[in-house]
Amino acid sequence: MRGVTLRGAVHFLLCVTGAPWSRAGHSLHIRPELPHVPLNIPTTLLSGASPIPRPLTDLRSHSAVAQRADLLELDCQLTRDGVVVVSHDKSLSRQSGVNRDVGSLDFEELPLYKEELEVYFSPGHFAHGSDRHMVRLEDVFRSFPRMPISVEVKEQNEELIRKIAGLVRHYERDEITIWASEKSSVMKKCKAANPEMPTAFTISRGFWVLLLYYLGLLPFISIPERFLISFLPTIINRTYFPFSCSGLNQLAAVVSKWLIMRKSLIQHLEQRGVQVVFWCLNEESDFEVAFRLGATGVITDYPTALRRYLDNHGPPAPAS
């Protein structure tokens, strides 16, 4: 999972919905065919394109929250003095212009984010913010005590994993905090640290599911994961460039579109309690593609645009 969203380099994504099941003064849309999902996760995921303010009172006024967001998705790093912070990048170079890693500095020594950062999935567009301090994961938990949150761990940092698990337990949010990682080796350690937290697919597990689907064996295999968080193939070579070679990007776009964009696959997963979320969509045409496929959620850098889309089109209908 990659991207620059809030606060420049901080990958902090949220979700918003639109139909029955009220919580905290707004509503969520939960599809009736998902009875085994441990979280009441809504239909659409959002992120804001402005920085996360540091004071707790300001965190609650963030633009994505103002758009009735109901799930936060973020990445974490560990500082030298053992503070878990919300940061997409391990290195501070891109986001702060300082050639140091987050783990080489104490929390109070962390530099400010740049005043202007390009939004990774919207080339040529920039994020701005008045408060450019890095935020602790604990601040987020305290500000949103009952908000479902997905926490991605990128590397096998056992201390980081242990501290995240400890914070989740301390704030009694085991059932509403999701383990996410691209690497199965990291996910194994995450699940050992707190097995009560629901999990998302790793890359290798995602390929395994695709293989079983095309072999016709998927209905006979158990699926412990509760979330499949994947890029939408149509953004490759448009707003997402996984390879430096344009030819490889074109090939990846064609192959991944053929493999992943299958309504029957998405419907099968959702019927078995797996919520399918596509990232990172910043254009209305991509919102439309994702919902037509039957996606449970959409991750975006622009919550206001997605809220406008939802208000104009109504709650997405289940895939048929």
Side-chain angles (χ1 to χ4, degrees):
M1 205 177 300
R2 303 172 65 189
V4 179
T5 56
L6 316 172
R7 217 198 227 173
V10 180
H11 192 115
F12 187 85
L13 307 174
L14 305 92
C15 80
V16 63
T17 68
W21 195 84
S22 165
R23 178 168 72 72
H26 51 268
S27 61
L28 304 179
H29 175 73
I30 305 299
R31 292 186 178 166
E33 68 269 22
L34 305 181
H36 304 299
V37 179
L39 303 180
N40 287 319
I41 300 301
T43 302
T44 333
L45 304 184
L46 291 177
S47 82
S50 58
I52 304 172
R54 195 175 193 183
L56 297 183
T57 53
D58 290 342
L59 273 173
R60 299 189 187 98
S61 66
H62 189 273
S63 63
V65 179
Q67 297 300 326
R68 304 194 296 281
D70 293 290
L71 181 139
L72 314 182
E73 192 283 340
L74 48 84
D75 303 74
C76 288
Q77 307 289 340
L78 191 68
T79 63
R80 184 172 58 191
D81 55 342
V83 177
V84 182
V85 294
V86 178
S87 175
H88 181 273
D89 292 3
K90 176 181 178 180
S91 171
L92 295 164
S93 178
R94 179 177 62 89
Q95 58 197 29
S96 297
V98 176
N99 191 25
R100 299 284 296 272
D101 287 348
V102 172
S104 69
L105 298 171
D106 291 346
F107 177 68
E108 295 299 331
E109 297 174 335
L110 292 173
L112 298 177
Y113 284 102
K114 295 176 181 177
E115 292 184 3
E116 181 178 82
L117 279 168
E118 188 171 25
V119 180
Y120 189 89
F121 291 99
S122 290
H125 294 79
F126 295 85
H128 307 267
S130 57
D131 185 342
R132 296 180 286 123
H133 294 88
M134 197 169 289
V135 181
R136 301 183 306 167
L137 178 63
E138 185 169 13
D139 293 337
V140 179
F141 283 174
R142 288 170 60 193
S143 294
F144 308 105
R146 302 313 304 161
M147 179 84 78
I149 296 178
S150 174
V151 179
E152 182 175 2
V153 181
K154 296 186 179 298
E155 298 183 348
Q156 291 196 52
N157 186 327
E158 294 192 19
E159 184 182 2
L160 172 62
I161 293 170
R162 178 174 55 81
K163 291 204 169 189
I164 292 172
L167 286 169
V168 169
R169 288 195 179 96
H170 177 77
Y171 287 96
E172 299 180 344
R173 48 179 304 116
D174 304 69
E175 294 183 353
I176 60 169
T177 308
I178 307 161
W179 281 125
S181 181
E182 292 184 345
K183 302 175 182 178
S184 292
S185 58
V186 175
M187 182 60 74
K188 182 178 179 179
K189 294 183 182 298
C190 290
K191 290 193 290 187
N194 190 332
E196 301 303 315
M197 293 167 58
T199 60
F201 279 91
T202 61
I203 290 177
S204 62
R205 283 283 299 165
F207 278 119
W208 178 242
V209 162
L210 285 174
L211 176 61
L212 293 172
Y213 168 73
Y214 285 105
L215 291 176
L217 299 176
L218 190 55
F220 309 104
I221 305 297
S222 64
I223 304 177
E225 293 87 354
R226 294 277 68 91
F227 296 89
L228 174 62
I229 303 174
S230 171
F231 63 88
L232 185 69
T234 56
I235 71 171
I236 295 181
N237 219 33
R238 288 177 47 239
T239 61
Y240 175 41
F241 303 89
F243 304 105
S244 57
C245 173
S246 61
L248 286 178
N249 285 322
Q250 292 174 7
L251 178 62
V254 172
V255 172
S256 61
K257 182 178 179 179
W258 185 86
L259 286 174
I260 297 173
M261 295 178 67
R262 302 284 178 170
K263 281 188 177 182
S264 58
L265 170 62
I266 294 172
Q267 187 174 33
H268 176 83
L269 290 173
E270 292 189 345
Q271 287 174 344
R272 297 185 62 182
V274 179
Q275 302 206 40
V276 180
V277 178
F278 287 118
W279 54 264
C280 184
L281 315 184
N282 293 334
E283 299 178 10
E284 185 170 308
S285 59
D286 292 321
F287 302 159
E288 185 74 20
V289 170
F291 290 132
R292 284 186 180 277
L293 280 173
T296 314
V298 167
I299 293 177
T300 180
D301 294 316
Y302 298 104
T304 302
L306 184 49
R307 166 47 60 195
R308 186 186 310 115
Y309 174 86
L310 291 174
D311 289 345
N312 291 337
H313 293 80
S320 57

